[in-house]
Coordinates of all heavy atoms in Angstrom, one line a residue:
M1 N 115.6 119.2 86.7 CA 114.2 119.0 86.5 C 113.8 118.5 85.1 O 113.1 117.6 84.9 CB 113.5 120.3 86.8 CG 112.4 120.3 88.0 SD 112.0 118.7 88.7 CE 110.3 118.7 88.4
V2 N 114.4 119.2 84.2 CA 114.1 118.9 82.8 C 114.6 117.5 82.5 O 113.9 116.7 81.8 CB 114.8 119.9 81.8 CG1 114.6 119.5 80.4 CG2 114.2 121.3 82.1
L3 N 115.8 117.2 83.0 CA 116.4 115.9 82.8 C 115.5 114.8 83.4 O 115.2 113.8 82.8 CB 117.8 115.8 83.4 CG 118.5 114.5 83.2 CD1 118.7 114.2 81.7 CD2 119.8 114.5 84.0
V4 N 115.0 115.1 84.6 CA 114.2 114.1 85.3 C 112.9 113.9 84.5 O 112.5 112.7 84.2 CB 113.8 114.6 86.7 CG1 112.7 113.7 87.3 CG2 115.0 114.7 87.6
A5 N 112.3 114.9 84.0 CA 111.1 114.8 83.2 C 111.4 114.0 81.9 O 110.6 113.2 81.6 CB 110.5 116.2 82.9
A6 N 112.5 114.3 81.3 CA 112.9 113.6 80.1 C 113.0 112.1 80.3 O 112.5 111.3 79.6 CB 114.1 114.2 79.5
L7 N 113.7 111.8 81.4 CA 114.0 110.4 81.8 C 112.7 109.7 82.0 O 112.4 108.6 81.5 CB 114.8 110.4 83.1 CG 116.3 110.2 82.9 CD1 117.0 110.2 84.2 CD2 116.6 109.0 82.1
A8 N 111.8 110.3 82.8 CA 110.5 109.7 83.1 C 109.8 109.5 81.8 O 109.1 108.4 81.7 CB 109.7 110.6 84.1
G9 N 109.9 110.4 80.9 CA 109.2 110.3 79.7 C 109.7 109.0 78.9 O 108.9 108.3 78.4
V10 N 111.0 108.8 79.0 CA 111.6 107.7 78.3 C 111.2 106.4 79.0 O 110.7 105.5 78.3 CB 113.1 107.8 78.3 CG1 113.7 106.5 77.7 CG2 113.6 109.0 77.4
L11 N 111.3 106.4 80.3 CA 111.0 105.2 81.0 C 109.5 104.8 80.8 O 109.2 103.6 80.8 CB 111.2 105.4 82.5 CG 112.7 105.5 82.9 CD1 112.9 105.8 84.3 CD2 113.5 104.2 82.5
C12 N 108.6 105.7 80.8 CA 107.2 105.4 80.8 C 106.7 105.5 79.3 O 105.6 105.4 79.0 CB 106.4 106.5 81.6 SG 107.0 106.6 83.3
G13 N 107.7 105.6 78.4 CA 107.4 105.9 77.0 C 106.3 105.0 76.4 O 105.3 105.6 75.8
S14 N 106.3 103.7 76.6 CA 105.4 102.9 75.8 C 104.2 102.4 76.7 O 103.4 101.7 76.3 CB 106.1 101.7 75.3 OG 106.7 101.0 76.3
S15 N 104.2 102.9 77.9 CA 103.2 102.4 78.9 C 101.8 102.5 78.5 O 101.0 101.6 78.5 CB 103.4 102.9 80.3 OG 104.8 102.7 80.7
F16 N 101.4 103.8 78.2 CA 100.0 104.0 77.8 C 99.7 103.3 76.5 O 98.6 102.7 76.4 CB 99.7 105.5 77.6 CG 99.4 106.2 78.8 CD1 100.1 107.3 79.2 CD2 98.3 105.8 79.6 CE1 99.7 108.0 80.4 CE2 98.0 106.4 80.8 CZ 98.7 107.6 81.2
A17 N 100.7 103.3 75.6 CA 100.4 102.6 74.3 C 100.2 101.1 74.5 O 99.5 100.5 73.7 CB 101.6 102.8 73.4
A18 N 100.8 100.6 75.6 CA 100.6 99.2 75.9 C 99.3 98.9 76.7 O 99.1 97.7 77.0 CB 101.8 98.7 76.6
A19 N 98.6 99.9 77.0 CA 97.4 99.7 77.8 C 96.5 98.7 77.0 O 96.3 98.9 75.8 CB 96.7 101.0 78.0
P20 N 95.9 97.7 77.8 CA 95.0 96.8 77.1 C 93.8 97.5 76.5 O 93.3 98.4 77.1 CB 94.6 95.8 78.2 CG 95.1 96.5 79.5 CD 96.1 97.5 79.2
G21 N 93.5 97.1 75.3 CA 92.3 97.6 74.6 C 92.5 99.1 74.3 O 91.5 99.8 74.1
S22 N 93.7 99.6 74.2 CA 93.9 101.0 73.9 C 93.6 101.4 72.5 O 93.3 102.5 72.2 CB 95.3 101.4 74.3 OG 96.2 100.8 73.3
G23 N 93.6 100.4 71.6 CA 93.1 100.7 70.3 C 93.8 101.9 69.6 O 93.2 102.8 69.1
G24 N 95.1 101.9 69.6 CA 95.8 102.9 68.9 C 96.6 103.9 69.8 O 96.6 103.7 71.0
S25 N 97.2 104.9 69.2 CA 98.1 105.7 69.9 C 97.3 106.8 70.7 O 96.1 107.1 70.3 CB 99.1 106.4 69.0 OG 98.4 107.3 68.2
V26 N 97.9 107.3 71.7 CA 97.1 108.2 72.6 C 97.6 109.7 72.3 O 96.9 110.6 72.6 CB 97.3 107.9 74.0 CG1 96.5 108.8 74.9 CG2 96.8 106.4 74.3
S27 N 98.8 109.8 71.8 CA 99.3 111.1 71.3 C 99.4 112.2 72.4 O 99.8 112.0 73.5 CB 98.4 111.6 70.2 OG 97.1 111.9 70.7
A28 N 99.0 113.4 72.0 CA 99.3 114.6 72.7 C 98.8 114.6 74.2 O 99.5 115.0 75.1 CB 98.7 115.8 72.0
S29 N 97.6 114.1 74.4 CA 97.1 114.2 75.8 C 97.9 113.3 76.7 O 98.1 113.7 77.9 CB 95.6 113.6 75.8 OG 95.6 112.4 75.2
E30 N 98.5 112.3 76.2 CA 99.3 111.4 77.0 C 100.6 112.1 77.4 O 101.1 112.0 78.5 CB 99.6 110.2 76.2 CG 100.3 109.1 76.8 CD 100.8 108.1 75.8 OE1 100.1 107.9 74.8 OE2 101.8 107.4 76.1
Q31 N 101.1 112.9 76.5 CA 102.4 113.6 76.8 C 102.1 114.6 77.9 O 102.9 114.9 78.7 CB 102.8 114.4 75.5 CG 103.2 113.5 74.3 CD 104.4 112.7 74.6 OE1 105.2 113.0 75.5 NE2 104.6 111.6 73.9
T32 N 100.9 115.2 77.8 CA 100.6 116.2 78.9 C 100.6 115.6 80.2 O 101.1 116.2 81.2 CB 99.1 116.7 78.6 OG1 99.0 116.8 77.2 CG2 99.0 118.1 79.2
C33 N 100.0 114.4 80.4 CA 100.0 113.7 81.7 C 101.4 113.5 82.2 O 101.6 113.7 83.4 CB 99.3 112.4 81.6 SG 97.8 112.3 80.6
R34 N 102.2 113.2 81.3 CA 103.6 112.8 81.8 C 104.4 114.0 82.3 O 105.4 113.9 82.9 CB 104.4 112.2 80.6 CG 103.9 110.8 80.4 CD 105.0 110.0 79.6 NE 104.3 109.0 78.8 CZ 104.4 109.0 77.5 NH1 105.2 109.8 76.9 NH2 103.8 108.1 76.8
A35 N 103.9 115.2 81.9 CA 104.6 116.4 82.5 C 104.4 116.4 84.0 O 105.2 117.0 84.7 CB 104.0 117.7 81.8
C36 N 103.3 115.9 84.5 CA 103.0 115.9 85.9 C 103.0 114.6 86.6 O 102.9 114.5 87.8 CB 101.7 116.6 86.1 SG 101.7 118.4 85.6
H37 N 102.9 113.5 85.9 CA 102.8 112.2 86.5 C 103.8 111.2 85.9 O 104.2 111.3 84.8 CB 101.4 111.6 86.2 CG 100.3 112.3 86.8 ND1 99.9 112.1 88.1 CD2 99.4 113.1 86.2 CE1 98.8 112.9 88.3 NE2 98.5 113.5 87.2
S38 N 104.2 110.3 86.8 CA 105.0 109.1 86.3 C 104.4 107.9 87.0 O 103.6 108.0 87.8 CB 106.5 109.3 86.5 OG 106.8 109.0 87.8
I39 N 104.9 106.8 86.6 CA 104.4 105.5 87.1 C 104.6 105.4 88.6 O 103.7 105.1 89.4 CB 105.0 104.3 86.4 CG1 104.8 104.4 84.9 CG2 104.4 103.0 87.0 CD1 103.4 104.2 84.5
D40 N 105.8 105.6 89.0 CA 106.1 105.3 90.5 C 106.8 106.4 91.2 O 107.3 106.2 92.3 CB 106.8 104.0 90.6 CG 107.9 103.9 89.7 OD1 108.4 104.9 89.2 OD2 108.4 102.7 89.4
T41 N 106.9 107.6 90.7 CA 107.5 108.7 91.5 C 106.5 109.9 91.5 O 105.8 110.1 90.5 CB 108.8 109.3 90.9 OG1 108.9 108.9 89.6 CG2 110.0 108.9 91.7
T42 N 106.4 110.5 92.6 CA 105.6 111.7 92.7 C 106.3 112.8 91.9 O 107.5 113.1 92.2 CB 105.4 112.1 94.2 OG1 104.8 111.0 94.9 CG2 104.5 113.3 94.3
K43 N 105.6 113.4 91.0 CA 106.2 114.6 90.3 C 105.4 115.8 90.8 O 105.3 116.1 91.9 CB 106.1 114.4 88.8 CG 107.1 113.3 88.3 CD 106.9 113.0 86.8 CE 107.7 114.0 86.0 NZ 107.4 113.7 84.5
V44 N 104.7 116.5 89.8 CA 103.8 117.5 90.2 C 102.6 116.8 90.9 O 102.0 117.3 91.9 CB 103.4 118.4 89.0 CG1 102.4 119.4 89.5 CG2 104.6 119.0 88.4
G45 N 102.2 115.8 90.3 CA 101.0 115.0 90.8 C 101.5 113.7 91.3 O 102.6 113.3 91.2
P46 N 100.6 112.9 92.0 CA 100.9 111.6 92.5 C 101.2 110.6 91.5 O 100.8 110.8 90.3 CB 99.6 111.2 93.3 CG 98.5 112.0 92.6 CD 99.1 113.3 92.1
S47 N 102.0 109.6 91.8 CA 102.4 108.6 90.9 C 101.1 107.7 90.6 O 100.2 107.6 91.4 CB 103.4 107.6 91.5 OG 102.9 106.8 92.5
F48 N 101.1 107.2 89.4 CA 100.0 106.4 89.0 C 99.8 105.1 89.9 O 98.7 104.7 90.2 CB 100.1 105.9 87.5 CG 99.8 107.1 86.6 CD1 100.5 107.2 85.4 CD2 98.9 108.1 86.8 CE1 100.3 108.3 84.5 CE2 98.6 109.1 86.0 CZ 99.4 109.2 84.8
R49 N 101.0 104.6 90.4 CA 100.9 103.5 91.3 C 100.2 103.9 92.6 O 99.4 103.1 93.1 CB 102.3 102.9 91.6 CG 102.3 101.8 92.5 CD 103.6 101.0 92.5 NE 103.9 100.5 91.2 CZ 105.1 100.5 90.6 NH1 106.1 101.0 91.2 NH2 105.2 99.9 89.5
A50 N 100.5 105.0 93.1 CA 99.9 105.5 94.4 C 98.4 105.7 94.1 O 97.6 105.3 95.0 CB 100.5 106.8 94.8
I51 N 98.0 106.2 93.0 CA 96.6 106.3 92.7 C 95.9 105.0 92.6 O 94.8 104.8 93.2 CB 96.4 107.1 91.3 CG1 97.0 108.5 91.5 CG2 94.9 107.2 91.0 CD1 97.1 109.3 90.1
A52 N 96.5 104.0 92.0 CA 96.0 102.7 91.9 C 95.8 102.1 93.2 O 94.7 101.5 93.5 CB 96.9 101.8 91.0
E53 N 96.8 102.3 94.1 CA 96.7 101.7 95.4 C 95.6 102.3 96.3 O 94.8 101.7 96.9 CB 98.0 101.9 96.2 CG 98.9 100.7 95.9 CD 100.4 101.0 96.2 OE1 100.7 101.9 97.0 OE2 101.3 100.3 95.7
R54 N 95.4 103.7 96.2 CA 94.4 104.3 96.9 C 93.0 103.9 96.5 O 92.1 103.8 97.3 CB 94.5 105.9 96.8 CG 93.4 106.5 97.6 CD 93.4 108.0 97.4 NE 94.5 108.7 98.2 CZ 94.4 110.0 98.5 NH1 93.3 110.7 98.1 NH2 95.4 110.6 99.1
Y55 N 92.8 103.7 95.2 CA 91.5 103.5 94.7 C 91.2 102.0 94.6 O 90.1 101.6 94.1 CB 91.2 104.2 93.4 CG 91.1 105.7 93.6 CD1 92.1 106.6 93.5 CD2 89.8 106.2 94.0 CE1 92.0 107.9 93.7 CE2 89.7 107.6 94.2 CZ 90.8 108.4 94.1 OH 90.6 109.8 94.3
R56 N 92.1 101.1 94.9 CA 91.9 99.7 94.7 C 90.7 99.3 95.6 O 90.6 99.7 96.8 CB 93.1 98.9 95.2 CG 93.1 97.5 94.9 CD 94.5 96.9 94.8 NE 95.2 97.4 93.7 CZ 96.6 97.6 93.7 NH1 97.3 97.4 94.8 NH2 97.2 98.1 92.7
G57 N 89.8 98.6 95.0 CA 88.6 98.1 95.8 C 87.5 99.1 95.8 O 86.4 98.8 96.4
D58 N 87.7 100.3 95.2 CA 86.6 101.3 95.2 C 85.9 101.1 93.9 O 86.4 101.2 92.8 CB 87.2 102.7 95.2 CG 86.2 103.8 95.2 OD1 85.1 103.5 94.8 OD2 86.5 104.9 95.6
S59 N 84.6 100.7 94.0 CA 83.9 100.3 92.8 C 83.5 101.6 91.9 O 83.1 101.4 90.8 CB 82.6 99.5 93.1 OG 81.8 100.3 94.1
D60 N 83.6 102.7 92.5 CA 83.4 104.0 91.8 C 84.7 104.6 91.2 O 84.7 105.7 90.8 CB 82.7 105.0 92.7 CG 81.3 104.7 92.9 OD1 80.7 104.0 92.0 OD2 80.7 105.2 93.9
A61 N 85.8 103.9 91.4 CA 87.1 104.5 91.1 C 87.1 105.1 89.7 O 87.6 106.2 89.5 CB 88.2 103.4 91.3
V62 N 86.7 104.3 88.7 CA 86.8 104.8 87.3 C 86.0 106.1 87.2 O 86.6 107.1 86.6 CB 86.3 103.8 86.3 CG1 86.1 104.4 84.9 CG2 87.2 102.6 86.2
A63 N 84.8 106.2 87.7 CA 84.0 107.4 87.6 C 84.7 108.6 88.3 O 84.7 109.7 87.8 CB 82.7 107.1 88.2
K64 N 85.3 108.3 89.5 CA 85.9 109.4 90.2 C 87.2 109.9 89.5 O 87.4 111.1 89.4 CB 86.4 108.9 91.6 CG 85.2 108.7 92.6 CD 85.7 108.1 93.9 CE 84.5 107.8 94.8 NZ 84.9 107.0 95.9
L65 N 88.0 109.0 89.0 CA 89.2 109.4 88.4 C 88.9 110.2 87.1 O 89.5 111.2 86.7 CB 90.1 108.2 88.1 CG 90.6 107.5 89.3 CD1 91.7 106.4 88.9 CD2 91.2 108.4 90.3
K66 N 87.9 109.7 86.4 CA 87.5 110.3 85.1 C 87.0 111.7 85.4 O 87.4 112.6 84.7 CB 86.3 109.4 84.6 CG 85.8 109.8 83.2 CD 84.8 108.8 82.8 CE 83.9 109.4 81.7 NZ 82.7 108.5 81.4
K67 N 86.2 111.9 86.4 CA 85.8 113.2 86.8 C 86.9 114.1 87.1 O 87.0 115.3 86.6 CB 84.8 113.1 88.0 CG 84.1 114.4 88.4 CD 83.1 114.1 89.5 CE 82.2 115.3 89.8 NZ 82.8 116.3 90.5
S68 N 87.9 113.7 87.9 CA 89.1 114.5 88.2 C 89.8 114.9 87.0 O 90.3 116.0 86.9 CB 90.0 113.7 89.2 OG 89.4 113.5 90.4
M69 N 90.0 114.0 86.1 CA 90.7 114.3 84.8 C 90.0 115.3 84.0 O 90.6 116.2 83.5 CB 90.9 113.0 84.0 CG 92.0 112.1 84.5 SD 92.0 110.6 83.5 CE 91.9 109.4 84.7
L70 N 88.7 115.2 83.9 CA 87.9 116.1 83.0 C 87.7 117.4 83.7 O 87.6 118.4 83.0 CB 86.6 115.4 82.7 CG 86.7 114.2 81.8 CD1 85.3 113.5 81.6 CD2 87.3 114.5 80.4
E71 N 87.5 117.4 85.0 CA 87.1 118.7 85.7 C 88.3 119.3 86.5 O 88.1 120.4 87.0 CB 85.9 118.4 86.6 CG 84.7 118.0 85.8 CD 83.5 117.6 86.7 OE1 83.6 117.9 87.9 OE2 82.5 117.1 86.1
G72 N 89.3 118.5 86.7 CA 90.5 119.0 87.5 C 90.3 118.5 88.9 O 89.2 118.0 89.3
S73 N 91.3 118.6 89.7 CA 91.3 118.1 91.0 C 92.3 118.9 91.9 O 93.4 119.3 91.4 CB 91.7 116.6 91.0 OG 91.8 116.1 92.3
S74 N 91.9 119.1 93.2 CA 92.9 119.7 94.1 C 92.5 119.3 95.5 O 91.4 118.9 95.8 CB 92.9 121.2 94.0 OG 91.7 121.7 94.4
G75 N 93.5 119.2 96.4 CA 93.3 119.0 97.8 C 93.2 117.5 98.2 O 93.1 117.2 99.3
K76 N 93.2 116.6 97.2 CA 93.0 115.2 97.6 C 94.4 114.6 97.9 O 94.4 113.6 98.6 CB 92.4 114.4 96.4 CG 91.0 114.8 96.2 CD 90.4 113.8 95.1 CE 89.1 114.3 94.6 NZ 88.7 113.7 93.4
W77 N 95.4 115.1 97.3 CA 96.7 114.4 97.4 C 97.8 115.2 98.2 O 98.9 114.7 98.3 CB 97.2 114.0 96.0 CG 96.4 112.9 95.4 CD1 95.3 113.0 94.7 CD2 96.7 111.5 95.6 NE1 94.8 111.8 94.4 CE2 95.7 110.8 94.9 CE3 97.7 110.8 96.2 CZ2 95.6 109.4 94.9 CZ3 97.7 109.4 96.2 CH2 96.6 108.7 95.5
N78 N 97.5 116.3 98.6 CA 98.4 117.1 99.4 C 99.8 117.3 98.7 O 100.8 117.3 99.3 CB 98.7 116.4 100.7 CG 97.8 117.0 101.8 OD1 97.5 118.1 101.8 ND2 97.4 116.1 102.7
T79 N 99.7 117.4 97.4 CA 101.0 117.7 96.7 C 101.3 119.1 96.7 O 102.4 119.5 96.2 CB 100.9 117.2 95.2 OG1 99.8 117.9 94.6 CG2 100.7 115.7 95.2
G80 N 100.4 120.0 97.1 CA 100.6 121.4 97.0 C 100.3 121.9 95.6 O 100.5 123.1 95.4
A81 N 99.9 121.0 94.7 CA 99.6 121.5 93.4 C 98.2 121.0 93.1 O 97.6 120.3 93.8 CB 100.6 120.8 92.4
Q82 N 97.7 121.6 92.0 CA 96.3 121.1 91.6 C 96.4 120.7 90.1 O 97.2 121.1 89.3 CB 95.3 122.1 91.8 CG 95.6 123.5 91.2 CD 94.5 124.5 91.5 OE1 93.8 124.4 92.5 NE2 94.4 125.5 90.7
M83 N 95.5 119.8 89.8 CA 95.4 119.4 88.4 C 94.3 120.2 87.7 O 93.2 120.2 88.1 CB 95.0 117.9 88.3 CG 94.9 117.4 86.8 SD 95.0 115.6 86.7 CE 93.6 115.1 87.5
P84 N 94.7 120.9 86.6 CA 93.7 121.6 85.8 C 92.9 120.6 85.1 O 93.3 119.5 84.9 CB 94.6 122.5 84.9 CG 95.9 121.7 84.7 CD 96.1 121.0 86.0
P85 N 91.7 121.1 84.6 CA 90.9 120.2 83.7 C 91.7 119.8 82.5 O 92.4 120.7 82.0 CB 89.7 121.1 83.3 CG 89.7 122.2 84.3 CD 91.1 122.4 84.8
N86 N 91.7 118.6 82.1 CA 92.5 118.1 81.0 C 91.6 118.1 79.7 O 90.4 117.7 79.8 CB 93.0 116.7 81.2 CG 94.1 116.7 82.2 OD1 95.2 117.1 82.0 ND2 93.8 116.2 83.4
A87 N 92.2 118.6 78.6 CA 91.5 118.6 77.4 C 91.5 117.3 76.7 O 92.1 117.1 75.7 CB 92.1 119.7 76.5
I88 N 90.8 116.3 77.3 CA 90.7 115.0 76.7 C 89.2 114.6 76.6 O 88.4 115.2 77.3 CB 91.4 113.9 77.5 CG1 91.0 113.9 79.0 CG2 92.9 114.2 77.5 CD1 91.6 112.9 79.9
S89 N 88.9 113.6 75.8 CA 87.5 113.2 75.6 C 87.2 112.3 76.8 O 88.0 111.8 77.5 CB 87.4 112.4 74.3 OG 88.1 111.2 74.4
A90 N 85.9 112.2 77.0 CA 85.4 111.3 78.1 C 85.9 109.9 77.9 O 86.2 109.2 78.9 CB 83.9 111.4 78.2
A91 N 85.9 109.5 76.7 CA 86.3 108.1 76.4 C 87.8 107.9 76.7 O 88.2 106.9 77.3 CB 86.1 107.8 74.9
D92 N 88.6 108.9 76.4 CA 90.1 108.8 76.8 C 90.2 108.8 78.3 O 91.0 108.1 78.8 CB 90.8 110.0 76.2 CG 91.4 109.7 74.8 OD1 91.3 108.6 74.4 OD2 91.9 110.7 74.2
A93 N 89.5 109.7 79.0 CA 89.6 109.7 80.4 C 89.2 108.4 81.0 O 89.9 107.9 81.9 CB 88.6 110.8 81.0
E94 N 88.2 107.7 80.5 CA 87.8 106.4 81.0 C 88.9 105.4 80.8 O 89.2 104.6 81.6 CB 86.5 106.0 80.3 CG 85.9 104.8 81.1 CD 84.4 104.7 80.7 OE1 83.7 105.8 80.6 OE2 83.9 103.6 80.7
R95 N 89.5 105.5 79.6 CA 90.6 104.6 79.2 C 91.8 104.8 80.2 O 92.4 103.8 80.7 CB 90.9 104.7 77.8 CG 91.8 103.7 77.2 CD 91.5 103.5 75.7 NE 91.5 104.7 75.0 CZ 92.7 105.4 74.7 NH1 93.8 104.9 75.0 NH2 92.6 106.5 74.0
F96 N 92.2 106.0 80.4 CA 93.3 106.4 81.2 C 93.0 105.8 82.7 O 93.8 105.2 83.3 CB 93.5 107.9 81.3 CG 94.2 108.5 80.2 CD1 93.9 109.7 79.7 CD2 95.3 107.8 79.6 CE1 94.5 110.3 78.6 CE2 96.0 108.4 78.5 CZ 95.6 109.6 78.0
A97 N 91.8 106.1 83.1 CA 91.4 105.6 84.5 C 91.6 104.1 84.6 O 92.2 103.7 85.6 CB 89.9 106.1 84.8
G98 N 91.1 103.4 83.6 CA 91.2 102.0 83.7 C 92.6 101.5 83.7 O 93.0 100.6 84.4
W99 N 93.4 102.2 82.9 CA 94.8 101.8 82.8 C 95.5 102.1 84.1 O 96.3 101.3 84.6 CB 95.5 102.6 81.6 CG 96.9 102.2 81.5 CD1 97.4 101.2 80.8 CD2 98.0 102.9 82.1 NE1 98.8 101.1 81.0 CE2 99.2 102.2 81.7 CE3 98.1 104.0 82.9 CZ2 100.4 102.6 82.2 CZ3 99.4 104.4 83.3 CH2 100.5 103.7 83.0
I100 N 95.3 103.3 84.6 CA 96.0 103.7 85.9 C 95.6 102.7 87.0 O 96.5 102.3 87.8 CB 95.6 105.2 86.3 CG1 96.2 106.2 85.3 CG2 96.0 105.5 87.7 CD1 95.6 107.6 85.4
L101 N 94.4 102.4 87.1 CA 93.9 101.5 88.2 C 94.6 100.1 88.0 O 94.6 99.3 89.0 CB 92.4 101.4 88.2 CG 91.7 102.7 88.6 CD1 90.2 102.6 88.3 CD2 91.9 102.9 90.1
G102 N 95.0 99.8 86.8 CA 95.7 98.5 86.6 C 97.2 98.5 86.9 O 97.8 97.4 86.9
V103 N 97.7 99.6 87.3 CA 99.2 99.7 87.6 C 99.4 99.0 88.9 O 98.7 99.2 89.9 CB 99.6 101.2 87.7 CG1 101.1 101.2 88.2 CG2 99.5 101.9 86.4
K104 N 100.4 98.0 88.8 CA 100.6 97.3 90.0 C 101.9 97.7 90.7 O 102.9 98.1 90.1 CB 100.8 95.8 89.7 CG 99.6 95.2 89.0 CD 98.9 94.3 90.0 CE 97.4 94.1 89.7 NZ 96.9 94.0 88.4
Ligands
LIG201 C1 99.7 120.4 85.5 C2 100.0 119.1 86.1 C3 99.1 117.9 85.8 C4 98.7 117.4 84.5 C5 99.0 118.0 83.1 C6 97.9 116.2 84.8 N1 97.8 116.0 86.2 FE1 96.8 114.5 87.1 N2 97.2 115.4 88.9 C7 98.0 116.5 89.1 C8 97.9 116.8 90.5 C9 98.7 118.0 91.2 C10 97.1 115.9 91.1 C11 96.6 115.8 92.6 C12 95.3 116.6 92.7 C13 94.8 116.6 94.1 O1 95.5 116.7 95.1 O2 93.5 116.6 94.2 C14 96.6 115.0 90.1 C15 95.8 113.9 90.2 C16 95.4 113.0 89.3 C17 94.6 111.8 89.5 C18 94.0 111.4 90.8 C19 92.6 112.1 90.9 C20 91.9 111.8 92.1 O3 90.6 112.0 92.1 O4 92.4 111.2 93.1 C21 94.6 111.1 88.3 C22 93.8 109.8 88.0 C23 95.3 111.9 87.3 N3 95.8 113.0 88.0 C24 95.5 111.5 86.0 C25 96.0 112.4 85.0 C26 96.0 112.1 83.6 C27 95.5 110.8 83.0 C28 96.5 113.2 83.0 C29 96.6 113.5 81.5 C30 95.4 113.4 80.7 C31 96.8 114.2 84.0 N4 96.5 113.6 85.2 C32 97.4 115.4 83.8 C33 98.7 117.2 88.1 C34 98.5 117.0 86.8

């Protein structure tokens, strides 16, 4: 498990930093997300690609994802886990949401 998490961290290492318009490093909050998410494998939470696919075409997607990140989420993805509220700013949540929705 630890190895898997470490690997995913390496593989996804520069992804957030490469997000368009990211304007600098994302630091600690980004590390937290990676404990539970990766780009294309389900970990504790759904993969970012699966999230992008589910919300594609939803004009409220950014608002919905932002709310989930800030307030926490459970029961939507049937992972058997829940996401606690994340200690990130609304601006960061919006940026993450935009980035996740752009994952192809
Ligand atoms: C403790 C583990 C954990 C952490 C840390 C975590 N998540 Fe999650 N995340 C989850 C789980 C579990 C779900 C599925 C929740 C559900 O079923 O409703 C989820 C769902 C999501 C969703 C989809 C929400 C929806 O409404 O469909 C997004 C987007 C997301 N996470 C982004 C993030 C970002 C960005 C971070 C870092 C700021 C983060 N998560 C940190 C576990 C986590």
Side-chain angles (χ1 to χ4, degrees):
M1 239 352 238
V2 175
L3 180 64
V4 174
L7 267 178
V10 171
L11 290 176
C12 307
S14 55
S15 301
F16 273 124
S22 67
S25 67
V26 183
S27 70
S29 54
E30 185 191 333
Q31 299 292 341
T32 325
C33 315
R34 286 199 211 123
C36 296
H37 293 280
S38 78
I39 305 293
D40 48 18
T41 17
T42 303
K43 291 174 80 183
V44 178
S47 72
F48 288 144
R49 178 165 298 139
I51 296 170
E53 274 162 18
R54 178 185 286 199
Y55 288 93
R56 189 160 292 146
D58 183 339
S59 54
D60 283 337
V62 169
K64 287 178 184 165
L65 298 187
K66 189 175 157 187
K67 186 170 190 287
S68 293
M69 283 176 230
L70 293 174
E71 296 175 12
S73 175
S74 66
K76 291 186 193 163
W77 287 88
N78 267 325
T79 58
Q82 55 182 23
M83 177 160 66
N86 288 289
I88 55 175
S89 68
D92 270 352
E94 194 159 324
R95 192 150 50 78
F96 282 141
W99 180 85
I100 290 165
L101 292 167
V103 172
K104 298 252 156 41

